[in-house]
Amino acid sequence: MDFSTPESSLSPQLGSRWESLLSYFFKLESVVVAFSGGVDSGLLCAAAYRALGERMLAVTVRSPVESFGDVESAQRLAEQVGFPLQVVDHNDLSNPEFVSNPPDRCYVCKLVRFQRLRQLATEAGFAVLVEGSNTDDLSDYRPGRKAVTETGTVSPLLELGFGKDEIRALAKAFGLSIWNRPSAPCLATRFPYGTPVTHEGLCQVADGERYLHEHGFRVVRVRHYGVMARLEVATDEIERLVAMREQVSTYFKSLGFNYTAADLNGYRQGSLNEVLK
């Protein structure tokens, strides 16, 4: 495992947590890791490969709803660490229930995906399907957890009590390429519940977020309200976004938005869940 930092150089606290994660995988016969390209499942891939070697397989789903750069991020980490990676194509937009965007859309999505990954794991001879939920995920509305339970998928980071900060600290200590990658949930999360998720809308969101990233905004969300885009950036970057209002507005009009609004509350996790009771 070609990490830039040897395990022996970890702090006692991080070393102990890393060992607990390795111990979890040592007890498993073989695993498929559902790898999104992010830091949580990326750390799982590194630990699973360290513990199990070729008895692990990372699988990344390529879909129109995935955030920009997910597959590329997954491929970079697989190359860095050396674990096997398989990219599976899947079109969530072929599912009318998903497209209708109900409040439990995440459950609808994950149930289909995990069923497919479990079938892949079984056919390839792998015993367990693993995913990357952690304790920070418990603070928000997460209907996808039901799909994890129903498909028998396991969540080592959650079971061992890992939070996001600890996960990033371990990934950084090892020099993993994904250690500082911002959270990037699927692009369907940019549509208010009940608003159909369309290919055109996904392209508008993806292009808008790519534009803001290219202009130096690290964490961005383009919330899609039909003719209006509501932009979320970090609170300390709102002033800079407003100062760029003319060029930002012009660009978003070119994407098909008549109106562009800056959310003065800034980025926060699950802002579209604020309307749910």
Side-chain angles (χ1 to χ4, degrees):
M1 187 171 63
D2 185 21
F3 292 169
S4 62
T5 301
E7 296 176 36
S8 60
S9 66
L10 293 175
S11 69
Q13 182 177 1
L14 284 182
S16 174
R17 296 299 278 153
W18 175 247
E19 287 300 324
S20 72
L21 192 54
L22 293 182
S23 295
Y24 188 101
F25 283 111
F26 280 136
K27 297 174 183 177
L28 302 179
E29 177 185 342
S30 57
V31 300
V32 165
V33 181
F35 183 23
S36 68
V39 62
D40 304 324
S41 53
L43 184 67
L44 284 181
C45 287
Y49 185 61
R50 171 67 176 83
L52 300 172
E54 295 302 317
R55 290 183 290 129
M56 74 78 68
L57 172 67
V59 179
T60 298
V61 175
R62 179 165 49 202
S63 166
V65 306
E66 297 308 317
S67 295
F68 173 72
D70 284 353
V71 172
E72 292 78 9
S73 176
Q75 291 171 332
R76 280 195 300 272
L77 185 68
E79 182 177 352
Q80 177 190 8
V81 177
F83 58 78
L85 172 68
Q86 182 174 342
V87 178
V88 175
D89 288 306
H90 174 71
N91 185 6
D92 295 282
L93 298 182
S94 65
N95 183 346
E97 188 176 6
F98 177 92
V99 170
S100 69
N101 196 16
D104 67 345
R105 180 204 62 246
C106 190
Y107 165 73
V108 172
C109 170
K110 287 188 179 296
L111 182 62
V112 172
R113 289 186 176 208
F114 286 159
Q115 286 174 337
R116 182 173 179 185
L117 293 184
R118 174 156 289 285
Q119 180 181 1
L120 181 155
T122 300
E123 292 174 351
F126 292 90
V128 179
L129 177 62
V130 172
E131 66 91 42
S133 294
N134 63 79
T135 58
D136 285 23
D137 295 324
L138 300 179
S139 63
D140 193 18
Y141 172 59
R142 299 280 179 168
R145 286 300 307 165
K146 182 181 176 184
V148 174
T149 302
E150 289 183 359
T151 57
T153 305
V154 300
S155 309
L157 297 173
L158 185 58
E159 292 181 34
L160 296 173
F162 277 82
K164 179 70 78 172
D165 290 344
E166 193 172 31
I167 293 167
R168 285 200 188 278
L170 265 174
K172 181 179 181 180
F174 282 126
L176 300 182
S177 60
I178 42 78
W179 80 266
N180 64 342
R181 191 165 192 256
S183 296
C186 88
L187 298 177
T189 62
R190 312 319 196 250
F191 294 76
Y193 296 119
T195 300
V197 180
T198 66
H199 188 270
E200 179 185 7
L202 291 169
C203 290
Q204 289 175 305
V205 168
D207 288 344
E209 293 191 355
R210 184 182 299 111
Y211 173 84
L212 293 174
H213 281 305
E214 289 173 350
H215 282 77
F217 295 94
R218 177 162 173 73
V219 180
V220 302
R221 296 291 187 271
V222 174
R223 308 296 187 184
H224 196 296
Y225 291 82
V227 297
M228 185 186 77
R230 175 169 64 85
L231 311 185
E232 295 178 16
V233 299
T235 53
D236 60 354
E237 292 189 315
I238 294 175
E239 187 175 344
R240 183 163 71 90
L241 177 65
V242 173
M244 295 174 57
R245 62 187 182 277
E246 290 187 7
Q247 67 187 88
V248 171
S249 175
T250 297
Y251 180 77
F252 276 81
K253 281 184 179 179
S254 75
L255 296 180
F257 293 106
N258 293 331
Y259 309 101
T260 304
D263 190 322
L264 299 184
N265 288 316
Y267 165 73
R268 64 271 187 206
Q269 185 183 51
S271 70
L272 289 179
N273 295 333
E274 293 167 357
V275 302
L276 298 177
K277 296 182 180 180

